Amino acid sequence: MKPGSSSRWSFRCTQAIRVLLLSAILLCIHWQHDRFMRRQQQLANWSDVVPVIQETLPGAESVEEINSTAPATVLDADGNALGSVVRTSPMSNHILGFSGPTDVLLVFDEQGILVATRVISSRDTQEHVQQMVQDPRFLKSLSGRSRAELLDLSNVDAVSGATLTSLAVLESVRFRLAMADPSVPGETPRGSLKFPDPPRLEDVKLLYPDAARVKQSIGNPVEWQVLDAADQSLGNLLRASPVADNNIGFQGPTDLLIAVDDAGLVTGIALGESYDNEPYVGYVREDAYFRRSFNGRSPEALAALDAGTVEGVSGATMTSQAAARSLQLTAQAFVDEQRTPGREPRTHSTRHPASQAFEFSTLFTLRNLSTIGIIFSGVVLGLTHLRSLRWLRILFQCVLIGWLGFVNGDMVSQALLLGWVQSGIPWQRAFGLTILTAAAFVIPITTGRNVYCSHLCPHGAVQQLVRRRIPWQVKLPATVQRWLNRLPTLIIAWVVAIGLLHLSFSAVDIEPFDAWLWNIAGMATVSVAIIGLIASCFIPMAYCRFGCPTGALLNYVSHSSGKTLNRRDLIVATLLIACVIVFCWP
C-alpha cells in the first residue's frame, strides 16, 4: 500500500459515515412527515371536540361515525341520539383562506337544523381568524338553517377585514355538506362565493372589444359565450372561477379570463377581479409578453402546463405564477367536461405545436439558465487559481449579488431544505435552484471545499465586500467565540425539531435569505439580514461564522470537519438517535 493511501481510505470512510448520518436524519424527517400527512387525512378524532359539542347539546357523551362522509351522530350516556355533527377538516383542507384552511365544527339538532358553528383550529392567519370569530353576526347567521339551505350561502356577508378567511369558511361548509349529501350532484355546488358575479364587461372587452354581454354555457361551468349588441356570438371565454378560487397568489385568488377561438385555441388572457395585492396584479395586467405567451395553445396543452416552469413577471412572481396555475386548472376543468360522455368534443388538435417541446424547453428559462451559468462560473472560480485574481473575484461577486440574489433570489436555506425533505424536490419548477443545491452539497463531499459559501452565496458575497472596510474592528474573546460557534448547530437542531414535530414556526424567519425577495420578505428575516450585515462590518464574516446553519451543514460534509470522527459527529449521531426516538414514539 502506498504511503498515505491508508489515511486517504480512512478519511473516505469518515466522509461516508457523515453522509450516512445526515441521510438518516433526513429520512426520519421525510417518513415522519408522510406519517403526519396520512394521519391528517384519516377520519377526524371526535374526542377532542366533545366538550365543544356539550356547550350546545349538554347531554352529549360520545360521537358515533357511520362512514367518512356522512354526519356523525351525537349520543348521550344511554346511547340515545341527540343530534349530529359535521367537521370540515380534513375533506375541505384544500379550501384556503388568506393563508391556510380552517377546521369548522357544525352541530345539528335531531331535525337537522344547525344550532351551533365553532372554529376548532385554523392554519390561516390568526388575526383574520380572530376577527371572523369575534364578528357578532357571521357565524351566528348560519344557525337555524337546514343542511339543504347551507348548500347555498350566497346571501351570507363576509367579514370586513377578513374577507378571504370568512369566504373560505363558507365554502368549506358548503363543500363538506355536499360531500355528506348523496342527493347533491357532483362534489360541490358550482357557484363561486369569492367571485359570485358574471365576468366584468370591462375585462371581457380587453379580449373582445365589441362585447356587450356574456352568458354562461349550459353544461360547462368554466365556459362563457361573448355576445355583441345584436346578440351575435363573438367567441368564447373560459373563466377561472370557481375552479381556481383556492389558487392563492401573494395574498389571495384572482379571477382570470381566457379567450378561445372557434378552432379551440387561446387568443388572449385577461385578469379580472382579484383579492391579491393590487400593485402585483397590476404588473401582470400590464405585462403583454406574459399574457401573450399562452396564445396559440389548446386547452389540452394548457391543462398539461406546469405553472412552476412559467417565467414569472418581474416584481410579481407569485401573482403571475398563480395566474399560470389558474390557467392550468381552468383548462383541465374544461377538458374534463368536454370528455364527459354525451358531449361533442371540439375539433382541434389535442396538442398544439407551441407545446410540443414543453417538457424540456421550460426547464431552460432565462432564470434557470442564468442560475446554472453562475453556478458553473462560481465552481470554476472556487476550484482553480482564478480565485486569486482580485478584480475577477470582485466582478463575480457583484454579478452574484445583483443577479442570483436580487433578480433570481436563488439561495440554499434551511426552509428550502426542510420543505424539500418533507415533500420532495420540485426540480421541474425550480430546476436552477435544484442544480444550485446539488452543487452546494456534492462539491464539498467530493472535493472537501465549501464552494457554495465562498463563491455562490450572495449573502456571503456581501459580507466579503464589506469585510474590514471600516477601521473599528471588534475582536471577540475566545470564550465568546466558542459559545457563538455553537449557535448554528443549535439552529440546525431547532429546524430538525420543526420538521419532526411539525411545529408552527416558520424556518424562513431564522435566516436572512428571504430578505433578498424584498417585496414579500417578513420582518423577522429582514431583521436577521440587517443585523447580520451590520455585525459583519465590525466582525469579519460575522453571520457566516456565527449564525448560518446552512453554512455549518455544508462545512460538516467538507474537510473542515476533520479527517477523523470527532465531537461534531457525536452531536450529529445524538441528533439522529433523538430523531429515531421521536419517529418510533407511538
Side-chain angles (χ1 to χ4, degrees):
M1 185 176 290
K2 293 182 180 180
S5 61
S6 177
S7 61
R8 285 197 297 271
W9 174 252
S10 175
F11 175 62
R12 288 170 184 166
C13 291
T14 301
Q15 286 291 85
I17 290 173
R18 288 169 178 163
V19 172
L20 287 174
L21 286 173
L22 283 180
S23 300
I25 292 174
L26 299 182
L27 281 174
C28 283
I29 296 174
H30 179 73
W31 290 338
Q32 179 76 348
H33 180 70
D34 276 352
R35 184 165 64 179
F36 174 81
M37 295 305 295
R38 286 196 300 269
R39 287 175 177 174
Q40 289 292 99
Q41 296 300 322
Q42 291 173 352
L43 296 177
N45 179 13
W46 293 104
S47 60
D48 60 337
V49 297
V50 168
V52 180
I53 298 172
Q54 289 172 340
E55 295 174 7
T56 306
L57 304 175
E61 287 292 332
S62 62
V63 177
E64 181 180 73
E65 285 185 322
I66 301 173
N67 56 53
S68 61
T69 58
T73 304
V74 181
L75 304 175
D76 62 14
D78 298 323
N80 299 314
L82 300 177
S84 60
V85 287
V86 170
R87 197 168 173 175
T88 60
S89 182
M91 288 188 180
S92 297
N93 281 357
H94 65 286
I95 298 174
L96 309 179
F98 186 80
S99 62
T102 298
D103 186 12
V104 180
L105 176 71
L106 307 173
V107 183
F108 296 89
D109 63 18
E110 291 183 88
Q111 288 72 43
I113 302 301
L114 184 67
V115 292
T117 308
R118 299 286 187 272
V119 173
I120 302 301
S121 63
S122 180
R123 298 205 297 273
D124 208 339
T125 307
Q126 291 305 308
E127 293 81 3
H128 294 164
V129 175
Q130 186 176 11
Q131 189 167 357
M132 177 191 68
V133 172
Q134 292 177 348
D135 187 276
R137 296 182 300 274
F138 178 68
L139 293 178
K140 290 182 180 179
S141 67
L142 304 181
S143 297
R145 301 175 187 239
S146 66
R147 292 173 192 159
E149 291 171 332
L150 288 169
L151 293 176
D152 180 14
L153 295 173
S154 57
N155 57 350
V156 178
D157 293 329
V159 177
S160 177
T163 304
L164 286 176
T165 299
S166 51
L167 286 178
V169 165
L170 296 178
E171 191 175 348
S172 296
V173 169
R174 192 172 65 163
F175 180 89
R176 179 64 182 87
L177 291 177
M179 294 290 290
D181 188 349
S183 65
V184 177
E187 291 185 344
T188 184
R190 296 290 192 175
S192 170
L193 293 174
K194 295 175 181 174
F195 303 103
D197 299 323
R200 297 185 305 191
L201 196 58
E202 61 192 86
D203 300 321
V204 177
K205 283 180 175 288
L206 296 175
L207 303 172
Y208 296 97
D210 296 329
R213 68 184 186 91
V214 293
K215 69 175 183 178
Q216 192 166 16
S217 300
I218 299 174
N220 197 323
V222 301
E223 187 176 24
W224 293 70
Q225 189 176 10
V226 183
L227 304 173
D228 62 14
D231 262 4
Q232 298 298 311
S233 176
L234 296 174
N236 296 297
L237 286 175
L238 304 184
R239 187 186 187 186
S241 180
V243 297
D245 279 2
N246 293 297
N247 179 36
I248 308 300
F250 178 67
Q251 64 176 27
T254 298
D255 195 13
L256 187 137
L257 306 176
I258 310 169
V260 180
D261 63 18
D262 291 336
L265 301 179
V266 174
T267 59
I269 68 169
L271 275 67
E273 295 180 88
S274 179
Y275 289 95
D276 210 341
N277 188 292
E278 189 54 42
Y280 302 152
V281 178
Y283 296 157
V284 181
R285 285 196 177 104
E286 295 166 4
D287 194 306
Y289 174 80
F290 174 81
R291 290 184 287 102
R292 292 171 184 167
S293 62
F294 305 98
N295 290 359
R297 303 193 187 191
S298 67
E300 284 83 359
L302 289 181
L305 181 69
D306 183 350
T309 63
V310 174
E311 193 72 37
V313 175
S314 178
T317 303
M318 295 178 69
T319 300
S320 55
Q321 289 193 339
R325 173 64 175 159
S326 291
L327 281 170
Q328 188 270 327
L329 291 171
T330 306
Q332 186 63 63
F334 175 77
V335 170
D336 289 345
E337 288 288 344
Q338 289 295 108
R339 290 172 179 168
T340 301
R343 289 190 62 92
E344 193 69 28
R346 290 181 178 271
T347 56
H348 57 71
S349 170
T350 59
R351 191 164 177 82
H352 189 262
S355 64
Q356 291 287 340
F358 166 74
E359 289 81 357
F360 295 99
S361 64
T362 51
L363 296 179
F364 301 105
T365 61
L366 174 61
R367 174 173 178 167
N368 288 336
L369 288 174
S370 59
T371 294
I372 293 171
I374 290 174
I375 294 169
F376 178 78
S377 303
V379 171
V380 171
L381 192 64
L383 297 180
T384 67
H385 69 281
L386 292 175
R387 63 181 179 273
S388 62
L389 299 177
R390 186 172 180 272
W391 67 269
L392 181 61
R393 190 173 65 252
I394 293 177
L395 176 62
F396 181 74
Q397 286 171 342
C398 292
V399 174
L400 191 67
I401 294 167
W403 193 266
L404 194 65
F406 283 114
V407 177
N408 287 2
D410 284 344
M411 280 170 273
V412 182
S413 68
Q414 295 296 293
L416 171 82
L417 296 175
L418 180 59
W420 286 8
V421 167
Q422 288 181 326
S423 305
I425 301 174
W427 65 272
Q428 286 185 309
R429 287 180 286 141
F431 186 58
L433 190 54
T434 302
I435 300 297
L436 178 64
T437 306
F441 282 91
V442 171
I443 291 175
I445 291 173
T446 55
T447 69
R449 294 183 182 179
N450 184 356
V451 173
Y452 175 80
C453 289
S454 61
H455 290 85
L456 288 175
C457 176
H459 203 71
V462 174
Q463 292 177 80
Q464 291 178 39
L465 290 176
V466 302
R467 181 172 53 184
R468 304 186 189 281
R469 295 293 181 183
I470 60 176
W472 306 286
Q473 297 295 295
V474 176
K475 183 174 177 60
L476 297 174
T479 304
V480 174
Q481 288 193 42
R482 281 197 300 271
W483 281 102
L484 288 177
N485 282 330
R486 297 169 183 169
L487 183 59
T489 303
L490 293 175
I491 296 175
I492 292 174
W494 174 240
V495 172
V496 171
I498 293 172
L500 278 175
L501 304 176
H502 287 85
L503 302 178
S504 58
F505 184 91
S506 175
V508 167
D509 295 339
I510 63 177
E511 291 185 292
F513 306 124
D514 231 40
W516 289 76
L517 305 172
W518 55 270
N519 55 333
I520 63 172
M523 284 303 300
T525 185
V526 170
S527 299
V528 172
I530 293 175
I531 293 172
L533 291 178
I534 291 176
S536 296
C537 293
F538 300 93
I539 305 171
M541 309 300 292
Y543 177 76
C544 288
R545 292 166 60 194
F546 304 126
C548 184
T550 301
L553 194 63
L554 295 173
N555 284 334
Y556 176 69
V557 295
S558 69
H559 290 184
S560 62
S561 285
K563 296 186 177 182
T564 59
L565 296 177
N566 52 43
R567 188 176 61 180
R568 289 187 183 181
D569 302 296
L570 179 61
I571 293 173
V572 175
T574 304
L575 187 59
L576 173 59
I577 293 171
C579 291
V580 172
I581 292 173
V582 172
F583 179 74
C584 295
W585 198 265

